[in-house]
Structures are given as C-alpha cells and as structure tokens.
Amino acid sequence: GTWFGTWGGGVSHFDGTTWKSLSAKDGLAGPVVYSIAQEPDGTLWFGTNQGVSRWDGKRFTNLGVAQGLLDRHVYALAVAPDGDIWAGTKKGVARIAR
C-alpha cells in the first residue's frame, strides 16, 4: 500500500481498496505530517509538526526535542544504509541512531 501525510489529519494508508487513517488519537506525535521514510523491514517514520513518530505496524514511538531533535517540525526524513534515521528541521539535521 501507499502512505500519505496530511495537513492536520495525521497519516492515511491506501491498500488499493480501502483507506485507513492514524492520528494523534492513535499515538502519532502531531497531526501535520511533512515527511515519511520507510526502513527495509517496513518500519515507518513520520516527520510531524510535533516531532518524529516511529510506526512498527502496531504502535507509535515518538521522539521530540527532549530526545535530541533540533526542532519539533521535522520536514525531511531519510534512512541511511547503516539503519540510522536522519531528521531534517529548519534548525539543522539530527541523527537518530538505531
């Protein structure tokens, strides 16, 4: 399927037939999703207006400024070959070690 970030409604997944949405009610860090990255194992990372959310298919783990992000607005995400996640903000880029 395909994942889509929304401006205020969290993330939505389309499997070709049906839509499923996940929002802050489900544990997503913030309602505005700027960026999405996927690890080879399928784990998803969402850059939001309130930090980064990691989705393992069952639950979210959230990271914010207290966990080392330079800003809560995460506009870009990338998965490095070594498995680290890079999070881009207006204040710079932070590495999230796996």
Side-chain angles (χ1 to χ4, degrees):
T2 304
W3 287 88
F4 299 88
T6 71
W7 193 267
V11 295
S12 295
H13 178 260
F14 184 63
D15 66 7
T17 305
T18 59
W19 288 89
K20 177 182 178 173
S21 294
L22 298 170
S23 68
K25 296 184 294 199
D26 303 298
L28 183 67
V32 177
V33 178
Y34 303 116
S35 55
I36 301 171
Q38 187 170 27
E39 293 185 60
D41 70 359
T43 300
L44 289 158
W45 293 80
F46 301 104
T48 80
N49 63 320
Q50 296 293 328
V52 173
S53 289
R54 178 184 181 271
W55 173 251
D56 64 7
K58 295 181 182 165
R59 67 184 154 276
F60 286 105
T61 303
N62 298 321
L63 305 169
V65 174
Q67 290 77 37
L69 292 180
L70 300 174
D71 189 71
R72 63 189 176 104
H73 294 271
V74 178
Y75 297 105
L77 288 168
V79 180
D82 64 3
D84 287 348
I85 309 300
W86 292 86
T89 72
K90 285 186 175 180
K91 295 182 180 176
V93 178
R95 179 175 61 93
I96 302 168
R98 298 282 291 132

